[in-house]
Amino acid sequence: MSKKHLTDITFDSFGLAEELTRGIQDAGFSHCTPIQAETIPIGLSGQDIAGQAQTGTGKTAAFLLVAMHRLLTRPADAQRRPNQPRALMVAPTRELAVQIHKDAEVLGKYTGFRLGLVFGGTGYDQQRRDLEAGVDILIGTPGRLIDYYKQHIYDLKAIEVVVLDEADRMFDLGFIKDIRYMLRRCPAPEQRLGMLFSATLSYRVKELAYEHMNNPKSVTIESDTVTADKVVQTCYMTANEEKIPLLLGLLKNMDVHRTMVFVNTKRGADRVWGFLEGNGIKAAVLSGDVPQKKRLSLLKAFQTDQLPVLVATDVAARGLHIPDVTHVINFDLPEDAEDYVHRIGRTARAGAGGDAISFACETYAFSLPEIEAYIGRKLPMQAVSDDLLAQVDPKSRVWTERPVRSDRRGGNRRSSGPPRHRGPSEKEGKAEAPEGSGEGQRKRRRRRPRKPEAAQ
């Protein structure tokens, strides 16, 4: 990995607690990234922070070190109960919350702090028991945090540090009311340290900061480009029917060590996955309806190189820290230019290099001008030559078999699978009886209401 993204400032120059210094050494860190070099001294001085930097630049380590140092150097209130956390860290997605918790375990290994992690989709009872047992640092997503709070499993009266990560994404996902609900139940801004980090410090994010923080210091790490500096971007102008052959052709001629393929819909993700699997490329789908337990196992398999390709919808475009992603392929161009930046931000993280390949097809090519305007550059166009297109048998697609579920009419239907062709006279699985036949007359007689019996 390249170290050109690092500054000359070292972590040991900050005078951090000895327990944290040991954790930093175990993590293999020595020099700071620009956002770390700028924000850590401000946080250690006790001033609130509103920080902006590109994804993958080390924001998580910055706020974890500041928060843990503050808790280590200031004794907890003697009246504090075990179910009153001292620090609250809120993330918009389950994957980001899990990553923050994982980093906190490494950096805080010698601090003795009890870490709590809560997020929706799985582990409801276990997370509740962990909270009841007591935590010092609570990390989670808004919905599950508020759920437990309203059940009085914990309270926020002893909070000393509040962190909002990916604040702009909180707005995008509709969590901002939940965030305000929680912040109003914490001690006043003057009585706690507040840190807000975001890929963009828009007007709405700044409003949130000044409403619920104590005169935060704004820190913006500028870049020459909106996208990561070392990501190589290319684009193919392709017909819809060429997309699958082009994808397979590219993947079979590159090192698919760790590749993410982004599509716009769940149905599209299933289709892409089916052709990858059917043509010898091991892949998995990561989308909004994947159960949390399976989602985490897929990410683990992807990060440990057991799974070379991950097909994802935009649920995975933010909040995932997956090191060494070599390629990002936009099978569908996103309809929102910001999503393009977030998608390709999965590669070329922390100073590494990476490739971002996009397909501008007949359906989504209209997004291209907006994307180019947003990133401030034209995407280099590549010709789709015959040698790039793989020969694909339409029957090679693997279909996902899912449980049969009832529809609103009481019948059963499959959520996925090859189409079933019916005969010309077939309807709901049965043939209609010919008009005038005995069977048809018997059906009509059965439908005729019976006359009430005459009174005796």
Side-chain angles (χ1 to χ4, degrees):
M1 179 181 292
S2 170
K3 293 188 177 181
K4 292 182 179 179
H5 69 294
L6 301 177
T7 66
D8 294 331
I9 300 174
T10 59
F11 284 101
D12 56 17
S13 66
F14 296 129
L16 292 166
E18 193 268 339
E19 297 93 330
L20 293 176
T21 301
R22 294 173 63 190
I24 292 170
Q25 292 172 349
D26 284 0
F29 298 158
S30 59
H31 290 73
C32 298
T33 64
I35 189 66
Q36 293 166 349
E38 291 280 348
T39 57
I40 290 177
I42 297 171
L44 294 180
S45 71
Q47 185 171 3
D48 286 9
I49 302 167
Q52 173 185 339
Q54 288 181 344
T55 183
T57 53
K59 292 176 285 186
T60 303
F63 65 69
L64 282 173
L65 291 174
V66 170
M68 290 181 177
H69 179 84
R70 184 180 177 96
L71 300 188
L72 286 169
T73 54
R74 297 188 178 210
D77 190 335
Q79 304 299 318
R80 170 179 168 264
R81 299 189 304 274
N83 70 335
Q84 291 181 313
R86 300 178 64 191
L88 174 67
M89 300 179 181
V90 188
T93 65
R94 294 168 286 191
E95 290 78 18
L96 183 54
V98 169
Q99 186 61 48
I100 294 171
H101 181 265
K102 188 180 298 184
D103 291 346
E105 287 182 319
V106 175
L107 295 174
K109 181 179 179 180
Y110 304 102
T111 63
F113 290 140
R114 295 167 296 176
L115 304 176
L117 174 63
V118 301
F119 52 84
T122 187
Y124 190 89
D125 292 333
Q126 183 59 53
Q127 293 176 13
R128 176 175 177 152
R129 287 193 293 270
D130 292 343
L131 273 181
E132 289 174 333
V135 298
D136 297 304
I137 299 175
L138 178 56
I139 304 162
T141 53
R144 185 63 63 91
L145 284 169
I146 290 181
D147 185 355
Y148 290 136
Y149 179 83
K150 290 184 175 179
Q151 295 182 56
H152 306 290
I153 306 302
Y154 72 100
D155 68 48
L156 299 168
K157 296 178 181 179
I159 291 294
E160 301 172 46
V161 181
V162 173
V163 177
L164 299 181
D165 199 11
E166 298 280 10
D168 54 340
R169 190 62 168 162
M170 300 285 190
F171 282 94
D172 295 342
L173 296 178
F175 289 141
I176 205 59
K177 288 185 178 179
D178 295 338
I179 296 300
R180 287 191 163 106
Y181 175 91
M182 299 189 71
L183 291 177
R184 291 187 183 111
R185 282 150 182 84
C186 292
E190 299 79 15
Q191 300 172 18
R192 54 177 165 84
L193 177 66
M195 289 181 281
L196 177 151
F197 287 86
S198 179
T200 59
L201 285 180
S202 61
Y203 288 117
R204 58 184 184 177
V205 173
K206 290 179 180 178
E207 181 183 11
L208 177 69
Y210 286 105
E211 180 182 354
H212 294 284
M213 300 176 74
N214 182 27
N215 192 25
K217 173 75 172 179
S218 292
V219 176
T220 300
I221 303 301
E222 296 287 358
S223 176
D224 293 336
T225 58
V226 175
T227 55
D229 295 330
K230 292 196 173 184
V231 60
V232 178
Q233 303 173 66
T234 56
C235 186
Y236 291 90
M237 192 69 72
T238 174
N240 286 347
E241 61 269 18
E242 293 177 333
K243 291 173 72 175
I244 289 293
L246 179 58
L247 176 65
L248 290 170
L250 291 174
L251 290 177
K252 288 182 177 180
N253 287 284
M254 67 172 62
D255 177 15
V256 289
H257 167 64
R258 223 174 272 186
T259 298
M260 298 190 72
V261 179
F262 281 100
V263 294
N264 289 350
T265 66
K266 174 65 175 65
R267 185 185 294 261
D270 283 341
R271 180 172 178 271
V272 170
W273 171 85
F275 277 109
L276 292 177
E277 286 282 337
N279 288 271
I281 299 175
K282 189 172 177 57
V285 172
L286 184 66
S287 60
D289 63 352
V290 175
Q292 183 63 21
K293 188 173 182 180
K294 183 178 180 181
R295 182 194 302 258
L296 295 176
S297 67
L298 290 178
L299 288 173
K300 183 177 180 181
F302 186 64
Q303 294 180 51
T304 55
D305 297 332
Q306 300 172 44
L307 189 68
V309 178
L310 198 60
V311 183
T313 57
D314 281 313
V315 69
R318 294 288 293 271
L320 289 183
H321 175 69
I322 304 175
D324 303 325
V325 172
T326 58
H327 296 81
V328 167
I329 299 177
N330 287 305
F331 185 83
D332 298 329
L333 277 178
E335 298 180 71
D336 188 328
E338 277 193 43
D339 286 337
Y340 175 84
V341 174
H342 298 318
R343 286 181 182 185
I344 71 172
R346 300 310 98 203
T347 189
R349 295 173 72 85
D355 290 281
I357 302 168
S358 299
F359 295 173
C361 65
E362 300 162 62
T363 304
Y364 295 107
F366 67 87
S367 298
L368 188 59
E370 183 182 348
I371 290 171
E372 291 178 332
Y374 186 77
I375 65 176
R377 57 173 292 188
K378 289 283 186 181
L379 290 181
M381 288 293 170
Q382 301 290 332
V384 180
S385 56
D386 291 341
D387 60 314
L388 290 176
L389 301 176
Q391 295 297 318
V392 182
D393 182 355
K395 297 180 180 179
S396 65
R397 176 181 175 183
V398 176
W399 291 84
T400 306
E401 287 295 336
R402 295 207 173 95
V404 175
R405 64 190 187 201
S406 297
D407 61 22
R408 294 180 179 177
R409 295 169 294 182
N412 293 329
R413 59 187 178 93
R414 291 184 298 177
S415 59
S416 182
R420 178 173 176 268
H421 300 286
R422 293 173 177 167
S425 63
E426 191 179 0
K427 183 178 181 182
E428 296 300 323
K430 292 185 179 180
E432 282 288 308
E435 187 68 20
S437 68
E439 175 62 18
Q441 292 171 4
R442 283 195 294 274
K443 284 185 179 180
R444 286 193 291 274
R445 282 199 295 269
R446 283 198 295 268
R447 287 196 294 267
R448 186 179 298 123
R450 295 172 59 189
K451 294 182 179 179
E453 295 182 6
Q456 299 295 326

